[in-house]
Amino acid sequence: MTGSTPLSELKGVGPQLFTKLQVLGLKNVSDLVSYLPRKYDDYSKFMPIKELKPGVVTIHANIGPASGKYVRRGLHITEAIATDDTGSIRIVWFNQPYRAASLKKGILYYISGTFELSHQRFAIMNPTIELASEFPINTARIVPIYGETKGITSKQIRGLVAQTLPYISQLSETMPSWAIKKYDLCSYSDALQYLHFPKNNQTLLTARRRLGFEEVFRLVLASLLNKQENDSETSLKIAFSKELAQKFVEHLPFKLTDGQRKVAWEIFLNLEQIHPMNRLVEGDVGSGKTVIATMAALMALNQGYQTALMAPTELLARQHADTIVKLLKPLGLEGAVTLLVGGLSLNQKKIARNAIRNGQAMFLVGTQAVIQEAVDFHKLALVIIDEQHRFGVEQRKSLMAKAGHMPHVLSLTATPIPRSLALTLYGELDISVLSDKPAGRQPIITKLVSPNSRAQMYSSIKEQLNSGRQMFVVCPLISDSDTMSANSAERVYEQMRIKDFSQYKIGLLHGKLKAHEKNAVMESFVYHKIDILVSTTVIEVGVDVPNATVMIVEDAERFGLAQIHQLRGRVGRSSHQGFCYLLTSNSIAPSKRLRALESCQDGFKLAEIDLDMRGPGAIYGSLQHGQLDLRIAKLSDTKLISEARSAAQEFISRGENLLQYKHLATTIHKLRAVTNLN
Ligand code: ADP
Ligand code: MG
């Protein structure tokens, strides 16, 4: 047996089971052994029958004669008596008509199940039993429960993993031996064995620590290697012009915050270097990142170099282009701004591309897709990425190929990435945090609303609408779904239109609309041709409609805190008070988690709460980050993380050759392609 042995070669795997396994992504032995249990049932504690207490129990007993009968159609009951030195107890199975015949008399079994009251008598219900003479897989030990099984039972998976134990025991080490020693890790092979078949809680912890350590180690190492590579690239130096910066700032309709000044300065210092900048600016919604980005681009312009700003949606790209034109106008530089998005006519696109090629277009604003598709730059020195979650090594390399050198990269995000996470996952990025907000911003009044208070909420919202304000309604789904009972945008839209808000103009926006349809809807909202915009989270990033002051989030439980915080930032963009109503699906026990949004306006704090309660995935909403795929390590385990980080740093400082670690090398290669995002 090797890692690539197909699972169809294991005992008991017929074509049907093999197909099901493949649905789970399990094709070969190596897939199977790295399929992680999600939790465990502890059947390891034996109890004499006399001392049984209600709950999960394991006994070591003989089973007397068993009898089975149908008590009514569709309900078969098997009953037997289990006996040990201390007493006897009834055991009961439902709908297992074959059970009685399979039991052998006079033989010791391990019997694990739930001891509970059934028809006024105590019994062990639906137990799993195994011969005590054999290696126990499903009883008498801590047994793994596999999270998603799609029609396969955990018991079946356990049986298969048990067959691979000889293979697991021969697996070679994946981590450097000095790290194993220094951080007192168990071997890879032991770790996998303990993970599936822990001897006790201690070995389970040992296994999890070891595998979690390796996970973080790999992430950090991938990130450090990316940084090393980045630092060895050259890029175009962009000098800082104090006069120009002052002139720009003088013409702004507001005063820069201290945070904005500091971050701008950090960027200017990077741009003057010969090595490419790779900086992430994190700042809450509305903290004023666009101005900073424009200042960076201004320096590039001044030097005769091009800048490309990439936005995730066409809508945002258009808004950015408008904003930037306004910002550059007082300096007479607005002509440098060129928009390139999918919605332009072929001819317009052609003109834009030509201008970019010959250097007339110096500040290109567009969507990432369009810019990367087919653009030849004249002298590209700076790339600004707004709210993109994927701009990795590959993308940078493809730009480098076009530009002839590595551009400086500035990423902007309103996603508050907690420090612990940032250091681990984005070690290759320099991070600036915009911690202050422009003066005069009021907190957004946020309220949890239970389903039976909907009508009341609607009437107070109507006061807002009647005084000329607009509203966003955010839904978790586009259409009704068979598998999820959530309010879809289409349904909410119909209901509001026909029933509750029939006197208002309502628009519907979601990702399935064509680009020009989206633009049309959004434009009518921007120009107040509609009062209410029902949408999915496509409005999440960037959209600026200061007159919109109310937001409803339907099925708020389905969203991460940081995500809702980003969403509600849309209604805090003017001097009018903003309101955010979070509709919960449960009227009795509104989520404690969501309560945090009522009292807290700090995106970073909310992200920390999400991180603690739901894991890193929650911070990013539905976006799946490859690099956030920590399956074992917990980000709250700061000791493990800092140790794994030190180990990765030592790996580099020792001058280790990654290629000597085959397993590490392949996994890290994959990671390097997805880290280095914003
Ligand atoms: P975000 O960080 O969410 O991208 P924007 O750059 O869109 O934020 O800025 C939000 C709004 O705040 C814009 O209308 C912008 O003009 C304004 N703004 C930016 N900086 C300041 C400041 N220092 N004082 C007042 N308003 C500011
Ligand atoms: Mg923005």
Side-chain angles (χ1 to χ4, degrees):
M1 191 184 289
T2 70
S4 53
T5 303
L7 293 177
S8 51
E9 288 183 21
L10 295 191
K11 236 178 9 199
V13 183
Q16 227 185 345
L17 181 55
F18 190 47
T19 311
K20 283 189 187 170
L21 286 165
Q22 280 169 315
V23 174
L24 287 178
L26 307 178
K27 293 190 182 67
N28 58 33
V29 165
S30 159
D31 298 333
L32 180 70
V33 300
S34 45
Y35 194 60
L36 302 180
R38 205 183 56 180
K39 55 179 191 172
Y40 297 83
D41 274 345
D42 189 353
Y43 291 147
S44 66
K45 308 215 167 36
F46 292 91
M47 255 181 271
I49 288 176
K50 208 175 75 181
E51 288 169 26
L52 288 180
K53 289 190 191 67
V56 169
V57 298
T58 297
I59 58 174
H60 189 204
N62 280 296
I63 300 182
S67 65
K69 62 170 188 279
Y70 278 93
V71 290
R72 59 177 147 84
R73 241 172 74 138
L75 181 61
H76 181 278
I77 290 188
T78 307
E79 285 196 347
I81 301 292
T83 307
D84 70 6
D85 296 342
T86 68
S88 295
I89 185 70
R90 201 162 62 103
I91 49 184
V92 177
W93 287 277
F94 292 123
N95 291 337
Q96 299 187 9
Y98 52 87
R99 184 60 84 172
S102 72
L103 298 170
K104 297 191 186 79
K105 266 180 273 173
I107 285 182
L108 276 171
Y109 286 97
Y110 293 126
I111 303 168
S112 293
T114 310
F115 182 58
E116 62 188 346
L117 211 51
S118 155
H119 293 99
Q120 279 101 46
R121 285 157 69 205
F122 272 100
I124 301 179
M125 307 301 290
N126 280 320
T128 306
I129 64 170
E130 287 176 318
L131 292 176
S133 56
E134 287 176 7
F135 175 78
I137 296 173
N138 301 297
T139 61
R141 56 162 46 253
I142 298 173
V143 299
I145 312 288
Y146 298 87
E148 217 192 332
T149 53
K150 302 223 160 119
I152 309 176
T153 63
S154 283
K155 200 167 156 184
Q156 279 174 305
I157 298 179
R158 274 175 229 144
L160 299 180
V161 179
Q163 292 180 53
T164 67
L165 283 174
Y167 161 77
I168 291 180
S169 70
Q170 283 171 22
L171 282 173
S172 46
E173 188 44 61
T174 53
M175 291 279 289
S177 54
W178 52 262
I180 298 274
K181 217 188 249 155
K182 184 162 176 180
Y183 297 99
D184 194 22
L185 303 170
C186 74
S187 73
Y188 181 60
S189 144
D190 282 353
L192 277 186
Q193 188 185 328
Y194 294 159
L195 193 76
H196 292 288
F197 292 106
K199 289 201 173 95
N200 50 44
N201 279 319
Q202 190 50 49
T203 56
L204 183 56
L205 288 177
T206 306
R208 294 188 65 91
R209 182 172 122 75
R210 152 68 210 232
L211 296 171
F213 190 100
E214 183 166 344
E215 239 176 9
V216 178
F217 174 85
R218 284 197 302 243
L219 280 175
V220 179
L221 188 54
S223 185
L224 291 174
L225 290 169
N226 280 345
K227 185 167 176 60
Q228 236 181 13
E229 189 178 305
N230 194 59
D231 290 348
S232 70
E233 309 279 3
T234 53
S235 52
L236 298 173
K237 276 190 184 190
I238 299 172
F240 169 61
S241 159
K242 194 173 163 194
E243 300 71 45
L244 190 59
Q246 276 171 345
K247 207 166 140 198
F248 177 80
V249 171
E250 274 164 23
H251 286 99
L252 287 175
F254 44 74
K255 202 167 161 288
L256 287 183
T257 64
D258 288 346
Q260 282 172 316
R261 281 170 196 283
K262 183 168 156 275
V263 172
W265 182 244
E266 286 168 348
I267 294 168
F268 294 147
L269 288 180
N270 284 148
L271 295 179
E272 292 197 305
Q273 306 299 313
I274 186 83
H275 299 299
M277 165 173 76
N278 194 15
R279 182 172 290 278
L280 173 69
V281 176
E282 287 186 61
D284 232 341
V285 176
S287 58
K289 296 182 288 291
T290 318
V291 183
I292 296 176
T294 308
M295 289 178 80
L298 187 62
M299 295 304 148
L301 261 177
N302 188 44
Q303 196 90 40
Y305 296 149
Q306 283 173 312
T307 297
L309 187 155
M310 305 185 187
T313 65
E314 183 161 341
L315 192 76
L316 258 177
R318 287 177 185 273
Q319 278 200 342
H320 273 317
D322 290 348
T323 307
I324 292 164
V325 162
K326 280 188 206 125
L327 288 171
L328 293 180
K329 204 160 200 164
L331 307 181
L333 291 170
E334 71 276 16
V337 181
T338 301
L339 182 72
L340 184 58
V341 291
L344 298 183
S345 72
L346 281 178
N347 196 41
Q348 286 170 316
K349 280 189 210 163
K350 207 171 126 199
I351 294 172
R353 290 204 176 104
N354 278 334
I356 295 157
R357 193 176 307 120
N358 66 28
Q360 278 168 321
M362 294 300 283
F363 194 164
L364 175 64
V365 179
T367 53
Q368 179 178 320
V370 175
I371 291 182
Q372 294 214 309
E373 194 178 286
V375 174
D376 290 323
F377 288 95
H378 179 65
K379 245 185 187 173
L380 179 69
L382 171 64
V383 173
I384 301 167
I385 325 271
D386 189 33
E387 298 294 358
Q388 298 277 12
H389 288 280
R390 284 200 182 273
F391 192 77
V393 173
E394 299 307 319
Q395 281 94 336
R396 290 198 6 226
K397 282 190 177 150
S398 82
L399 273 182
M400 182 167 77
K402 282 181 186 167
H405 50 260
M406 189 62 101
H408 296 286
V409 176
L410 176 64
S411 307
L412 312 174
T413 184
T415 304
I417 304 166
R419 198 98 199 124
S420 58
L421 194 60
L423 275 172
T424 307
L425 307 180
Y426 305 99
E428 69 213 83
L429 291 175
D430 293 321
I431 295 182
S432 299
V433 177
L434 260 180
S435 43
D436 49 0
K437 273 201 183 179
R441 295 274 159 83
Q442 307 168 3
I444 294 148
I445 295 177
T446 302
K447 284 191 187 127
L448 261 60
V449 179
S450 72
N452 32 25
S453 309
R454 188 184 277 268
Q456 207 182 329
M457 170 185 81
Y458 280 173
S459 62
S460 60
I461 286 173
K462 283 177 187 168
E463 284 171 27
Q464 289 282 315
L465 296 177
N466 294 342
S467 66
R469 304 284 87 78
Q470 289 163 279
M471 166 165 81
F472 288 105
V473 182
V474 184
C475 306
L477 296 173
I478 299 177
S479 317
D480 281 352
S481 136
D482 298 335
T483 50
M484 235 201 262
S485 68
N487 283 313
S488 71
E490 283 172 354
R491 175 154 30 118
V492 170
Y493 170 71
E494 278 308 315
Q495 257 173 17
M496 290 193 147
R497 205 169 60 91
I498 294 165
K499 220 175 119 218
D500 305 301
F501 289 86
S502 53
Q503 68 270 48
Y504 301 94
K505 296 203 185 64
I506 311 182
L508 176 65
L509 179 72
H510 56 67
K512 275 201 201 146
L513 298 181
K514 300 219 172 68
H516 71 270
E517 294 171 321
K518 278 191 230 167
N519 282 333
V521 177
M522 205 54 223
E523 248 174 52
S524 37
F525 194 59
V526 171
Y527 295 112
H528 202 164
K529 292 190 187 118
I530 52 179
D531 307 297
I532 301 173
L533 182 65
V534 181
S535 79
T536 54
T537 52
V538 288
I539 58 145
E540 185 168 352
V541 274
V543 182
D544 203 8
V545 186
N547 189 51
T549 57
V550 185
M551 173 174 285
I552 297 178
V553 181
E554 294 277 354
D555 295 294
E557 288 98 343
R558 296 200 180 273
F559 298 91
L561 297 184
Q563 196 185 12
I564 292 179
H565 179 69
Q566 269 176 282
L567 285 167
R568 74 177 166 184
R570 306 292 141 234
V571 294
R573 301 214 147 201
S574 70
S575 50
H576 298 294
Q577 175 64 56
F579 297 91
C580 177
Y581 298 101
L582 306 175
L583 272 160
T584 61
S585 51
N586 188 338
S587 47
I588 303 152
S591 154
K592 214 167 98 193
R593 191 174 65 89
L594 289 176
R595 286 253 175 255
L597 284 160
E598 290 184 322
S599 52
C600 178
Q601 300 273 335
D602 178 338
F604 279 88
K605 277 214 188 87
L606 292 166
E608 298 274 7
I609 298 173
D610 261 351
L611 192 59
D612 274 359
M613 295 179 77
R614 305 209 312 174
I619 298 180
Y620 299 93
S622 53
L623 277 170
Q624 277 310 310
H625 280 227
Q627 86 278 24
L628 285 177
D629 194 17
L630 280 181
R631 301 189 304 162
I632 301 174
K634 288 217 172 62
L635 283 157
S636 49
D637 192 347
T638 45
K639 180 159 180 273
L640 178 93
I641 287 178
S642 91
E643 285 180 348
R645 199 157 59 216
S646 308
Q649 276 155 352
E650 183 167 348
F651 190 92
I652 302 256
S653 65
R654 279 173 176 255
E656 285 266 25
N657 179 2
L658 187 58
L659 296 177
Q660 290 185 342
Y661 301 89
K662 209 169 133 248
H663 186 258
L664 269 184
T666 30
T667 45
I668 284 178
H669 180 74
K670 283 188 212 141
L671 284 172
R672 287 192 63 187
V674 289
T675 56
N676 187 359
L677 321 173
N678 80 31

